[in-house]
Amino acid sequence: MKPAGLDIGGQAVIEGVMMRSPRAMAIAVRRPSGDVIVREEVWRSISRRIKPLRWPFLRGTVVFVEALVNGVQALTFSANQAFEEEDEKPLSPWAMAGTVVAAIALAVGLFVVAPHILSLLIGKAFSADFGVKSLSFHIIDGAFKLGFFLAYISAISLLSDIKRVFMYHGAEHMSIHTYEAKEPLTVEFARRHPTLHPRCGTAFVLLVLVISILFFAIVFPFLPKPAGGLWLTQLAYIAVKFVLLVPIAGVAYEVTRLAGRHPDNPWLKPLIWPGLMLQKLTTRQPDDSQLEVALKALKRTLVIEGVDDGQ
């Protein structure tokens, strides 16, 4: 069954939730005092102004980049509101952006560069025909990526602050499920829904990692060998991987979008099942106050869209 209404996504932030629809964004955060503050705004994707960016397999990259920008905005706002009574200097957008850039650099090193180098070293250690043009290389490379990703998620899930973010993540999903089921947007109805959702960004990242294994295995045998020594050649291959992430993200987005629209489709279920299982690590059952925050962000988004009165 296809969920009704707008395509709405979200993100858990510090003590709150950001919700985004095609033309609106709202961030609800619970302050230390207990009250909930909401920042809301009309939002317009660049793809609405540039038609080719709405084409299938291109729009996925646009959505990913815009989600990253909106995520930085939401995290900056939530951090400043959540810690306002702790006598800490507010975070500037540039400070938060710098933190995000550092996090991206760490992610690139951990999930792209390190698996590639380790796979190359394994091939050399066993004197195997194990270059980047072989299927074995990309299977081992993909196994390292998945292993590092799962280890990272498992490690941060042990932190108390991250556990609260994961609770808000669950609240975000439960709220969206309630909207898609056309039920009243109340804590009582949201409580009936699961914390897992097929359109989750965590599932998207996992799908990108899995698709990249197949994609690289198909494309790399046809690439000419770059000029230069061993390590210069490998750097060139790593750069190619970054370029190929654009079409990979496009494919992953289309699969995730299709799964969200047809969650009961038997052909799509095997594709989204690993992402749903991963969400068992990245979501937690929220309390009622956290559901209240997520629902408030969702309602304000719908008000801006003109499809709800906010009650």
Side-chain angles (χ1 to χ4, degrees):
M1 179 183 296
K2 176 183 174 181
L6 300 165
D7 282 335
I8 295 181
Q11 175 183 319
V13 294
I14 300 171
E15 292 301 324
V17 171
M18 179 267 282
M19 291 286 187
R20 198 185 76 177
S21 64
R23 291 174 292 274
M25 182 173 73
I27 311 160
V29 178
R30 190 173 294 281
R31 287 173 162 173
S33 61
D35 61 319
V36 178
I37 185 170
V38 180
R39 171 184 168 184
E40 57 188 61
E41 60 186 71
V42 175
W43 181 81
R44 190 182 182 198
S45 170
I46 190 174
S47 63
R48 296 183 65 83
R49 301 189 291 273
I50 305 175
K51 186 176 180 179
L53 296 181
R54 300 199 298 268
W55 293 349
F57 304 107
L58 284 180
R59 59 191 175 189
T61 303
V62 176
V63 169
F64 176 75
V65 172
E66 289 181 336
L68 186 61
V69 173
N70 292 153
V72 172
Q73 296 172 336
L75 283 169
T76 302
F77 176 77
S78 67
N80 288 335
Q81 296 301 322
F83 301 133
E84 67 167 356
E85 296 178 7
E86 297 183 10
D87 297 325
E88 295 187 16
K89 185 178 179 180
L91 289 173
S92 69
W94 286 108
M96 182 58 76
T99 302
V100 171
V101 168
I104 292 174
L106 177 62
V108 167
L110 190 60
F111 303 129
V112 179
V113 178
H116 185 98
I117 299 302
L118 287 172
S119 299
L120 185 70
L121 293 176
I122 285 177
K124 287 191 167 296
F126 291 95
S127 301
D129 183 13
F130 203 62
V132 297
K133 295 181 181 294
S134 71
L135 176 61
S136 300
F137 180 93
H138 296 291
I139 291 175
I140 297 298
D141 180 50
F144 273 124
K145 288 178 184 176
L146 291 174
F148 287 163
F149 184 59
L150 293 174
Y152 170 77
I153 294 295
S154 299
I156 66 172
S157 68
L158 300 176
L159 302 174
S160 59
D161 289 343
I162 297 299
K163 286 180 180 178
R164 287 195 61 79
V165 172
F166 286 175
M167 291 170 75
Y168 277 107
H169 191 193
E172 172 221 329
H173 288 175
M174 295 165 76
S175 301
I176 292 175
H177 275 303
T178 307
Y179 168 70
E180 292 175 338
K182 295 184 176 180
E183 295 173 349
L185 298 179
T186 65
V187 171
E188 178 185 2
F189 279 91
R191 180 62 67 191
R192 303 175 183 180
H193 291 281
T195 61
L196 314 181
H197 197 287
R199 287 192 291 109
C200 175
T202 308
F204 170 79
V205 172
L206 180 62
L207 196 56
V208 166
L209 293 177
V210 173
I211 292 175
S212 69
I213 299 172
L214 179 62
F215 215 87
F216 294 156
I218 293 173
V219 172
F220 269 73
F222 297 96
L223 295 178
K225 183 177 180 180
L230 173 63
W231 295 111
L232 196 59
T233 298
Q234 297 309 314
L235 286 175
Y237 282 136
I238 291 171
V240 170
K241 287 186 174 183
F242 283 117
V243 174
L244 291 178
L245 283 176
V246 174
I248 291 170
V251 172
Y253 173 78
E254 297 303 326
V255 173
T256 304
R257 188 170 186 266
L258 195 61
R261 290 177 174 268
H262 306 282
D264 298 323
N265 186 296
W267 295 98
L268 293 173
K269 278 187 175 182
L271 295 176
I272 65 175
W273 182 83
L276 292 174
M277 294 302 99
L278 180 61
Q279 289 175 54
K280 289 181 179 291
L281 290 176
T282 64
T283 63
R284 297 284 189 276
Q285 279 290 336
D287 59 34
D288 287 353
S289 68
Q290 292 168 319
L291 277 172
E292 179 189 356
V293 171
L295 288 166
K296 191 176 288 288
L298 176 56
K299 288 178 182 179
R300 296 313 304 170
T301 301
L302 295 175
V303 168
I304 298 172
E305 288 280 1
V307 297
D308 190 270
D309 61 6
Q311 301 300 317

